[in-house]
Amino acid sequence: MSTTNQRAFNFNAGPSALPLEVLQIAEKQLINFNNTGMSVMELSHRSKDFEQVHNEAIARLRQLYAVPDNYEVIFLQGGASLQFSMIPMNFLQSGEQADYILTGVWSEKALAEAKLFGAPVAVASTKDNHYKNIPSVHQINFNDAAAYVHLTSNNTIYGTQWKDFPTTIAPLIADMSSDILSKPIDVSKFALIYAGAQKNLGPSGVTVVIIRKDLLEKAHNNIPTTLKYSTFTENNSLYNTPPTFGIYMLGEVLKWVEKQGGLEKIATHNEAKAKLIYDAIDGSNGFYIGHAEKESRSLMNITFRLADEELEKQFLAEAKAAGFVGLNGHRSVGGCRASTYNAVPYETCKALADFMHAFQAKH
């Protein structure tokens, strides 16, 4: 456990660590928000107090990412998994092609949903290499006439991440659930960005969508009301009751990012944190084995194994006893995974690196 505040060394992949400062603010305001005599969870979503929370969160996200004026920012529910269906439901006709780039389980799931609505094609996949790398953009044959191109920017299970995004003729759509807000990006390269909040943005329950207006205008009309993006853009995300507490927390996280110096500072900090653990892997002479190829390594999810399976189990057991939480790899692949999202402190990553060095020396 951390000696300063008795909080766990939290490496959970999601829901994940939240900034302690944000949690402390929420604690103070939980019962009486803004002198209303109510918790933010008790406020009407139509009230002026919540409207201010809601609009400020959108404005801060726009400012941090320099979102151009020709984009809408909306808050939805259902997580990234619902977006897997909403995207083809809104933008893919029967028999029409969409290009999907497969880099892990979540992009596979997105493709499977798209097949219910059109004729999506996997234009690139690294599955044969056990998803150890991101495909080379120069080797992908995109269909310029495709309805859209879909990719997953960071892969939590396999620990890979796009460093540079492709430039496409067809609208580019990205699932950024696990690395949104971790570094600057050029929003104008994308027609639609979506992300579940539970990694870097806040608690689970909120989904952020940044959508370009010209793509929005191409959406189909013959779909259920609450599955249309336009329903929410036309109502400032307030068509029905939104996840009010989640949006409040998201807004506080955005304030925290501003206090850290913005996305450039956050990115530098994330690189330093990840380096501690990758250095422990690379300097272990094969005791720890990283899953992802070096040029594709994620700064958010560090995946590795130990050469000996029994020793790996012992490593995880001893790490848990030492106060480290969430180091087990995804149930589908096993191994170890350290998720070093924005709110995971440098000191927590150093503690893990020190533990890895000590465990190796002992064994």
Side-chain angles (χ1 to χ4, degrees):
M1 292 287 188
S2 166
T3 56
T4 56
N5 51 44
Q6 295 302 303
R7 283 173 55 77
F9 295 125
N10 185 357
F11 290 99
N12 275 324
S16 58
L18 286 164
L20 178 59
E21 179 182 332
V22 170
L23 293 173
Q24 290 170 334
I25 290 170
E27 181 182 37
K28 290 178 181 177
Q29 297 183 343
L30 187 62
I31 295 175
N32 185 6
F33 172 75
N34 201 24
N35 295 319
T36 60
M38 295 177 285
S39 169
V40 71
M41 290 183 284
E42 299 175 293
L43 295 176
S44 167
H45 63 291
R46 307 292 183 191
S47 67
K48 289 183 178 180
D49 288 286
F50 181 74
E51 184 179 17
Q52 182 176 355
V53 169
H54 183 87
N55 290 338
E56 283 185 1
I58 292 174
R60 280 193 161 86
L61 187 58
R62 280 188 169 277
Q63 185 174 18
L64 281 166
Y65 267 134
V67 177
D69 292 339
N70 61 326
Y71 286 76
E72 299 278 5
V73 176
I74 51 176
F75 298 142
L76 305 179
Q77 300 179 59
S81 295
L82 181 58
Q83 294 303 301
F84 297 164
S85 302
M86 275 187 72
I87 288 164
M89 188 180 291
N90 278 263
F91 305 118
L92 194 60
Q93 299 278 6
S94 177
E96 190 176 19
Q97 181 175 322
D99 291 352
Y100 278 72
I101 303 172
L102 303 187
T103 51
V105 168
W106 305 115
S107 51
E108 287 181 355
K109 289 179 181 289
L111 175 62
E113 291 297 304
K115 288 180 179 178
L116 299 175
F117 301 95
V121 174
V123 292
S125 172
T126 55
K127 188 172 185 176
D128 289 345
N129 193 32
H130 306 289
Y131 290 131
K132 291 183 178 181
N133 66 294
I134 296 296
S136 170
V137 171
H138 305 295
Q139 296 176 349
I140 303 175
N141 293 318
F142 293 107
N143 174 13
D144 292 347
Y148 58 83
V149 176
H150 181 281
L151 60 82
T152 305
S153 61
N154 183 79
N155 302 282
T156 54
I157 294 175
Y158 299 97
T160 60
Q161 185 178 28
W162 287 82
K163 307 303 179 185
D164 298 297
F165 296 107
T167 299
T168 61
I169 302 298
L172 182 60
I173 294 176
D175 175 0
M176 293 191 179
S177 293
S178 54
D179 66 349
I180 195 168
L181 217 66
S182 68
K183 60 181 181 179
I185 58 168
D186 180 1
V187 170
S188 68
K189 287 181 69 77
F190 302 89
L192 189 153
I193 294 168
Y194 65 96
Q198 65 273 15
K199 317 290 188 179
N200 281 328
L201 283 169
S204 57
V206 184
T207 308
V208 169
V209 172
I210 304 172
I211 182 170
R212 203 170 62 210
K213 292 178 182 178
D214 68 317
L215 179 65
L216 188 63
E217 292 167 359
K218 297 176 182 178
H220 308 152
N221 288 318
N222 58 336
I223 55 178
T225 302
T226 56
L227 295 174
K228 293 179 184 178
Y229 291 104
S230 60
T231 297
F232 297 92
T233 59
E234 291 169 4
N235 290 278
N236 193 30
S237 304
L238 298 174
Y239 173 77
N240 58 351
T241 307
T244 54
F245 185 72
I247 293 170
Y248 158 75
M249 288 293 287
L250 186 151
E252 293 300 323
V253 169
L254 295 175
K255 292 178 188 177
W256 176 82
V257 170
E258 290 175 350
K259 289 180 182 178
Q260 307 313 302
L263 295 178
E264 292 281 358
K265 291 286 187 181
I266 287 284
T268 300
H269 194 53
N270 285 333
E271 289 169 5
K273 293 187 309 184
K275 186 177 186 300
L276 289 168
I277 302 170
Y278 280 126
D279 282 353
I281 294 170
D282 294 340
S284 71
N285 294 316
F287 187 83
Y288 301 108
I289 304 167
H291 177 80
E293 294 180 1
K294 289 186 178 181
E295 64 274 13
S296 295
R297 281 175 166 175
S298 170
L299 296 181
M300 297 287 96
N301 308 98
I302 301 169
T303 51
F304 61 97
R305 304 209 68 143
L306 277 73
D308 181 273
E309 188 173 347
E310 290 304 313
L311 201 57
E312 184 174 275
K313 292 178 182 178
Q314 187 176 345
F315 171 85
L316 289 168
E318 290 189 19
K320 183 177 181 181
F324 294 94
V325 176
L327 287 178
N328 291 70
H330 191 271
R331 61 187 179 276
S332 64
V333 297
C336 309
R337 171 175 59 178
S339 296
T340 55
Y341 299 120
N342 288 355
V344 177
Y346 181 91
E347 293 75 17
T348 295
C349 296
K350 187 177 187 306
L352 176 58
D354 291 344
F355 177 83
M356 291 171 70
H357 291 307
F359 187 86
Q360 180 182 359
K362 186 168 64 174
H363 296 282

